[in-house]
Amino acid sequence: MTQIAKPSVNGWQFLIDFDRPNINKLRFIYGSDIDLPHGLPLPSFFVILLVMNLLRGILKGKYAQAVLQGLKPCMIGIILATGVYMTLHNCFPLVQGAKADLRALLIVVVLAACMAMYRTLKKKKLSPILLIIASAMLGILIY
C-alpha cells in the first residue's frame, strides 16, 4: 500500500492511498475512509454532450422520430421484463432448499396496492420516483 502523508487540513491529518487506479482513498487518522472518484464520469459526460450537439439536427427529422417511436415500446418491454425477473427471483428463489423471501414479497404487494389505490383515487399515475423512494423506505423499515 503506497501512502503519501499530506499536511493537516483544518486540523485533520490524512493519508492518500493509491491502492486502486483512478480512485484516491483518503484515510483520516481517526479511522474513517472516504473514496473519491477521480474524474471517472467526466469523459463519458463530455462525449454525450458532444454527440448530442452533433445529432441535434438529425434527431428532428421524421425518420429519426419514427425510429425513436419504435424504440420506445422496446425499451418499456426490456425494463418491464427486468423488473418482473428481479421480482420473481428475489421473492421466489430457484435454489433448492431456499425459502421465499416474504419481506420482499410484502414490499412488492404494498407498492402494487399503493400504486393501484393512487390510480383509482387520483385518476393519474403515481410517479416512479415516489415508488422508488417508497420502496427504499419500506426496505429500510422491514429489513
Side-chain angles (χ1 to χ4, degrees):
M1 177 176 4
T2 306
Q3 295 181 343
I4 298 175
K6 294 288 182 178
S8 65
V9 178
N10 295 332
W12 287 85
Q13 292 183 350
F14 57 92
L15 302 172
I16 298 179
D17 292 342
F18 294 102
D19 294 335
R20 296 177 280 169
N22 298 326
I23 295 179
N24 293 336
K25 190 175 197 180
L26 293 178
R27 177 164 290 141
F28 291 96
I29 297 301
Y30 297 107
S32 65
D33 290 344
I34 299 175
D35 285 339
L36 300 174
H38 196 70
L40 292 176
L42 285 180
S44 60
F45 177 71
F46 288 130
V47 167
I48 290 170
L49 284 179
L50 179 68
V51 169
M52 287 307 296
N53 279 332
L54 294 174
L55 295 178
R56 185 179 302 163
I58 295 172
L59 290 176
K60 291 182 182 177
K62 66 178 183 177
Y63 295 116
Q65 288 298 315
V67 168
L68 292 175
Q69 289 297 322
L71 286 176
K72 192 182 292 186
C74 296
M75 294 306 298
I76 291 171
I78 289 171
I79 293 170
L80 182 64
T82 303
V84 168
Y85 176 82
M86 288 176 61
T87 300
L88 290 177
H89 285 280
N90 286 328
C91 293
F92 306 107
L94 297 177
V95 179
Q96 285 184 337
K99 296 179 181 177
D101 190 0
L102 296 178
R103 294 182 287 187
L105 189 60
L106 177 67
I107 291 173
V108 170
V109 169
V110 168
L111 289 176
C114 289
M115 191 172 70
M117 283 189 342
Y118 189 83
R119 186 174 284 180
T120 56
L121 294 177
K122 297 282 187 173
K123 305 292 184 210
K124 58 183 178 179
K125 294 181 181 179
L126 185 60
S127 168
I129 295 172
L130 290 177
L131 283 174
I132 292 170
I133 292 171
S135 66
M137 296 292 186
L138 284 172
I140 290 170
L141 289 175
I142 291 176
Y143 285 99

